[in-house]
Amino acid sequence: DPSFASNDRVYISYSWDSDPLNPSGPKTAQVIRVNAATPSGDVADPATKLVLLGSVVGTPADPSCEDFATTADCIPSDGLSHSIGNLKFGPDGKLYVATGDGASYFSADPLALRTQSKDRLSGKILRVNPANGQGLADNPFYAGNLNATRSKVWAYGVRNAFRFNFKPGTNVMFSGDVGWNDWEEINGITPGANLGWPCYEGNDQQLLYAAFAECVALLPPPGGTTLPIYAADHAGASSAIVGGAFTGDGASTPPNGYRAALQNTYWFGDYSHNTISVLKVDGSNNLVPGSVQQFSSTADGPVQLETGPDGDIYYLAINAGELRRIRFVADDQPPVAVTSATSPQSGTLPLTVNFSSAGSSDPDPGQTASLTYEWDFGDGLAHSPA
């Protein structure tokens, strides 16, 4: 919660295991709120649990949302992936929730068409009251009943919104939507947007779903469909685009911020490709031509990118188990020292061990040749450089 320091509230999304004896079977999902009021603030009090979304959950006898009324407060997770997703507070103080289509990713699954229904919780960006999980009267599909599903919908037609964030100074959401056979998407999401899945993937019609009535209504040109800001063709290879975060407004410049070329920039990742890339959008949130560039090809499975309070980009490299920071480093960077020792490295006196600084370098171009070395073993004696 933005007011966690005073209200101790934490919001959690997860898949509900309808039947532990059938781990790969259909499931449902929930979003809950708990209070972490212990001195360390890292242990939740179970008595404070409040279900905000997904009050209807599966059982071994009825594991799927399809076993309940269409209007039930049930978040589908029938497939092995694309379940409940990201949570984030918007600049308006409301809670935004991404839900995947909850369908199979192996073949064309009619359950994916739930994303096109405003009365189903799957495949949506939801905007709810963090106090009780109700919809909001200023949501685009408010139906006069705050508890109605469509009163909670901010955008629909989502496959798997793998992280989202807001453009600074606006309530425009930028999200990475993981594609299927061909296209990964970066979407700019405004209230009421239909992002097209499963009828569209990237800028193209998804032909395996074209015959379904829900998609016939969206035949080209895309009727009422919001096309992505950027679509990347992964040519059948594994890919999972990760929505990112923005840097700078131009006011922060080196040495306290990024170079001008990386101001007003959107950073996004690809988990499967281990990459982080950047792009720019104009004042109308359209892609600036030629602005998409790869920043790193060694990101070790980036799964979330955020702008820190210092203006730097931080990201979770899940394959390395690390939280990393991307920061601007001016010229005249410190050298990188590499040391090694020959065997034997232990034994009785007298013992001769040779140390080497081979591989040491200076990140600044052309500086490595001028490096000098001085060894200090803490014994107060002078040692020859090597």
Side-chain angles (χ1 to χ4, degrees):
D1 196 290
S3 300
F4 175 77
S6 59
N7 66 20
D8 303 312
R9 291 176 176 174
V10 177
Y11 301 79
I12 304 170
S13 63
Y14 56 87
S15 291
W16 175 277
D17 201 349
S18 304
D19 184 359
L21 297 180
N22 185 17
S24 62
K27 304 186 190 310
T28 55
Q30 283 191 319
V31 177
I32 66 171
R33 191 187 76 209
V34 293
N35 283 35
T38 61
S40 60
D42 61 1
V43 178
D45 179 359
T48 65
K49 175 182 173 181
L50 175 67
V51 177
L52 298 178
L53 293 166
S55 58
V56 176
V57 294
T59 66
D62 298 305
S64 170
C65 288
E66 299 305 298
D67 297 317
F68 303 95
T70 300
T71 56
D73 178 31
C74 189
I75 303 174
S77 184
D78 295 288
L80 296 177
S81 185
H82 305 174
S83 180
I84 190 71
N86 203 29
L87 303 176
K88 188 170 289 291
F89 275 85
D92 56 3
K94 309 306 180 185
L95 182 63
Y96 290 75
V97 181
T99 65
D101 66 2
S104 171
Y105 55 83
F106 293 113
S107 60
D109 185 352
L111 292 179
L113 296 162
R114 295 177 298 199
T115 70
Q116 288 295 314
S117 170
K118 303 178 188 70
D119 297 311
R120 305 299 299 270
L121 286 173
S122 56
K124 305 293 186 296
I125 302 294
L126 306 173
R127 176 177 177 261
V128 299
N129 186 336
N132 50 29
Q134 291 182 333
L136 298 155
D138 59 347
N139 275 349
F141 306 111
Y142 173 65
N145 176 3
L146 294 177
N147 291 313
T149 295
R150 61 175 48 220
S151 295
K152 304 173 185 180
V153 174
W154 182 254
Y156 62 109
V158 173
R159 186 169 188 255
N160 182 21
F162 200 0
R163 308 293 184 245
F164 60 81
N165 230 312
F166 294 88
K167 185 179 180 182
T170 75
N171 212 42
V172 178
M173 179 188 294
F174 278 64
S175 171
D177 201 2
V178 178
W180 189 16
N181 292 329
D182 298 303
W183 297 99
E184 303 292 298
E185 299 180 11
I186 295 292
N187 292 301
I189 305 175
T190 53
N194 179 2
L195 303 178
W197 177 258
C199 306
Y200 284 84
E201 182 185 354
N203 294 307
D204 296 343
Q205 190 178 16
Q206 175 45 259
L207 297 180
L208 293 177
Y209 285 95
F212 289 95
E214 293 86 345
C215 296
V216 171
L218 297 176
L219 287 174
T225 301
T226 300
L227 295 178
I229 289 172
Y230 170 66
D233 184 356
H234 56 76
S238 177
S239 193
I241 205 161
V242 180
F246 282 87
T247 50
D249 56 7
S252 177
T253 56
N256 298 316
Y258 292 165
R259 294 179 186 271
L262 291 176
Q263 296 288 343
N264 301 305
T265 298
Y266 184 70
W267 300 64
F268 62 97
D270 190 303
Y271 161 72
S272 298
H273 289 172
N274 294 317
T275 60
I276 291 177
S277 301
V278 296
L279 61 76
K280 289 180 179 288
V281 294
D282 60 22
S284 300
N285 299 313
N286 297 312
L287 179 68
V288 174
S291 66
V292 180
Q293 298 181 33
Q294 187 178 106
F295 179 82
S296 172
S297 61
T298 57
D300 287 325
V303 292
Q304 186 161 359
L305 295 90
E306 296 288 345
T307 305
D310 54 6
D312 291 344
I313 292 292
Y314 291 76
Y315 73 96
L316 290 173
I318 195 170
N319 293 341
E322 294 176 350
L323 171 63
R324 296 176 174 177
R325 178 176 67 168
I326 300 172
R327 62 173 180 155
F328 173 79
V329 179
D331 292 339
D332 195 21
Q333 302 175 60
V336 178
V338 177
T339 62
S340 61
T342 62
S343 297
Q345 297 183 16
S346 62
T348 58
L349 296 176
L351 180 72
T352 300
V353 178
N354 293 313
F355 290 85
S356 172
S357 59
S360 297
S361 63
D362 193 313
D364 297 321
Q367 299 298 308
T368 297
S370 63
L371 288 177
T372 59
Y373 308 90
E374 183 177 354
W375 294 91
D376 182 357
F377 295 102
D379 55 7
L381 301 176
H383 299 273
S384 299

